[in-house]
Amino acid sequence: MGEIDGRQHAGQAHHGGGPAFDLVLSKLHRPTLRPGTVRRSSLIDRLEWDDPQPIVSVVAPAGYGKTTLLAQWAERNEAAFAWVSVDEADNDPKVLLTYVAQALDAVEPVGRRVFDALASPASSVPGSVVPRLGAAFSAMTAPVVLALDDVHLLHNSECRAALSVLADHAQGGSRLALAGRSEPPVRVARLRAEGKILEVGPGDLSLNRDEAASLLRAARVVLGADEVAELHRRTEGWPVGLYLAALSLREGGSLDSAAISFGGDHRFVSEYMESELLARISPRQREFLTQTAVLERMSGPLCQAVLDQPESAATLADLARSNLLLVPLDRRGQWYRYHHLFRDMLLAELERLEPGLAPVLRRRAAAWYLHNDLPEAALESSIAAGDVDEAADLVGKMWLPVYRQGRVTTVQRWIGWLDDRGAIEGHPMAAVSAALLAVISGLCYAAAEPSRCAPTRTRPPGGSRRQASSLRWRNSCRGSPGSFAVTPKAATRSSRTSSGSGNSPLPILSQTR
């Protein structure tokens, strides 16, 4: 599996002091710096003061080079870097903190107790996981920089609270660096008053005239000093604006039309990309860019499966060589992602040109993931595609092993997504999952409410044995949340039988008194 998608197959590795689920290893690697990247030497000098503040906050809109700055700092800094690229799936505290633990563990072992707490469905995040992880962070024998990129994607309150507490454990020369589009989830006012935070904003990240000239030269655009000055003035030093202008000039656009006189407004960027960039490339290139934008991460084989074009791998390789808005995710040049702002614009363009195509492409991606033994990626693609039936089937098969890895919030999100679409009633194993999760967690989903579960002694008309089984289990939700408990041996037995045997998953729960 690792050769296919850059994941570490952890499985039950937590028994030996490691993560309890498969990790996307590219999230733990800082992005590779591309040739031609403008060096931000003055900013890095600020970050490396002799008396550094323990917290570093890098906040700016899309396209200002936040990730690039952290990657350049990591390349030049003598301290070890523990890197985590945050995404939406990290809005489960056990998932986020497992990545943090693994990143730190790669620098210096954090200890089995940390991973044991992360792997247990019963462990408290604030009461057990965060104290153990924080103690490991503060006990590092040599300074380490823990860098989390794209933290604005974290909206789960437990995740944000955990990072705020971890900030207090950045001691002994170690530092916590948080980059995102909005204020980081730490007590900024208190840290400012105590002089413990270094803040980098849009004004700091804007390119000066010399840096703008360097970017244009690297993009193979030759302009005179006055033209560079005018382009810099009209883009206000916004790095991605300058780069998009360079691409337009390279494709034959004029200086007047290429200069983007705004600083990050998505509507204007979209209009600019349509009139000045996408309109100047070939229809095949345009199709590749807009259609592959449905993918969070992409490789040649995945693009080929989604687009059904045999030359997709070669197109991706050519694009990787010529476009800085494609970010490499591994050192082998196999996996990439688009710059976030660029992807947003491409998706908007896809919806404008071919409304309704995105779900089709995402279903193809889900099929590829399943074929390559990546069921969780397949489930997320099915959810993104709005494919309720496929998502329900995958949730029914996956929820128990994922729950047993401690990722309760992830399972709740999946079940909640199905419940919001009224999909639980019509999918027996998803109904079983919702009923059991309601019993275990105390959360009640609409399809598992007693009023929706009329007692029955027979199968529903025309129904299967498994449908009857799911009804019996939804009826069992009439008990109080604390009246049942999961037995590990029975849960293991059920996980083997629930996806195909037709047997009732009755042994998962045992009544407690």
Side-chain angles (χ1 to χ4, degrees), residues 365-498:
W368 185 89
Y369 285 129
L370 273 180
H371 181 72
N372 286 278
D373 193 27
L374 299 167
E376 193 165 333
L379 172 55
E380 296 295 351
S381 288
S382 298
I383 289 175
D387 190 342
V388 172
D389 290 339
E390 183 66 19
D393 181 61
L394 288 168
V395 168
K397 295 173 180 176
M398 293 171 56
W399 83 274
L400 181 59
V402 172
Y403 172 83
R404 296 184 70 220
Q405 293 163 357
R407 295 189 286 158
V408 180
T409 303
T410 295
V411 177
Q412 290 171 344
R413 174 170 61 85
W414 293 342
I415 298 292
W417 185 86
L418 294 173
D419 196 41
D420 289 343
R421 286 151 184 82
I424 294 177
E425 279 290 310
H427 297 85
M429 290 313 299
V432 171
S433 307
L436 294 177
L437 191 63
V439 171
I440 294 166
S441 66
L443 293 177
C444 195
Y445 301 97
E449 291 174 2
S451 62
R452 303 279 298 275
C453 306
T456 178
R457 294 177 181 272
T458 61
R459 299 185 196 178
S464 68
R465 179 179 300 173
R466 185 174 295 180
Q467 287 172 322
S469 169
S470 70
L471 273 176
R472 288 198 303 272
W473 270 101
R474 282 177 286 156
N475 291 342
S476 75
C477 284
R478 296 180 178 213
S480 63
S483 62
F484 294 90
V486 177
T487 60
K489 185 181 296 185
T492 301
R493 185 165 61 250
S494 175
S495 69
R496 291 195 299 265
T497 62
S498 62

Side-chain angles (χ1 to χ4, degrees), residues 229-384:
E230 177 64 9
L231 196 58
H232 177 263
R233 182 187 69 79
R234 292 173 64 178
T235 59
E236 301 178 13
W238 185 42
V240 81
L242 279 161
Y243 187 69
L244 288 172
L247 292 182
S248 176
L249 290 167
R250 204 167 70 191
E251 296 293 335
S254 67
L255 181 64
D256 286 341
S257 64
I260 312 173
S261 54
F262 53 88
D265 187 303
H266 282 207
R267 178 173 59 86
F268 289 119
V269 177
S270 183
E271 292 173 357
Y272 173 82
M273 284 184 60
E274 164 56 24
S275 62
E276 295 299 327
L277 182 58
L278 295 177
R280 297 180 183 277
I281 62 178
S282 71
R284 184 170 292 274
Q285 288 176 310
R286 182 183 184 126
E287 181 180 90
F288 181 90
L289 288 170
T290 56
Q291 293 188 12
T292 56
V294 302
L295 304 171
E296 294 276 355
R297 300 175 178 86
M298 53 191 164
S299 67
L302 175 57
C303 291
Q304 184 169 317
V306 170
L307 273 61
D308 195 24
Q309 294 178 358
E311 71 279 7
S312 295
T315 304
L316 180 63
D318 290 342
L319 188 63
R321 285 191 290 269
S322 64
N323 195 323
L324 293 181
L325 295 176
L326 194 67
V327 181
L329 296 177
D330 58 25
R331 293 175 175 83
R332 295 172 294 175
Q334 294 181 356
W335 284 84
Y336 299 88
R337 68 166 174 83
Y338 287 121
H339 185 286
H340 297 312
L341 178 63
F342 192 48
R343 180 173 182 254
D344 289 345
M345 299 306 104
L346 291 173
L347 285 172
E349 186 68 6
L350 176 64
E351 184 59 28
R352 188 185 73 82
L353 291 172
E354 301 181 85
L357 181 59
V360 175
L361 299 172
R362 288 179 171 125
R363 288 189 191 100
R364 293 178 188 172
W368 185 89
Y369 285 129
L370 273 180
H371 181 72
N372 286 278
D373 193 27
L374 299 167
E376 193 165 333
L379 172 55
E380 296 295 351
S381 288
S382 298
I383 289 175

Side-chain angles (χ1 to χ4, degrees), residues 17 57 81 115 149 259 355 374 387 391 407 460-461 501:
S57 168
F81 260 70
F115 287 106
D149 194 20
L374 299 167
D387 190 342
R407 295 189 286 158
S501 68

Side-chain angles (χ1 to χ4, degrees), residues 176-241:
L176 175 64
L178 304 171
R181 299 182 191 178
S182 56
E183 188 171 280
V186 294
R187 293 182 283 274
V188 173
R190 192 203 75 185
L191 292 167
R192 283 177 187 151
E194 296 174 351
K196 292 182 177 180
I197 187 169
L198 170 61
E199 296 178 88
V200 177
D204 305 299
L205 291 164
S206 297
L207 301 180
N208 61 35
R209 193 177 302 177
D210 290 339
E211 291 170 332
S214 176
L215 183 151
L216 293 168
R217 286 194 300 271
R220 304 192 303 278
V221 173
V222 179
L223 297 176
D226 291 343
E227 293 172 312
V228 171
E230 177 64 9
L231 196 58
H232 177 263
R233 182 187 69 79
R234 292 173 64 178
T235 59
E236 301 178 13
W238 185 42
V240 81

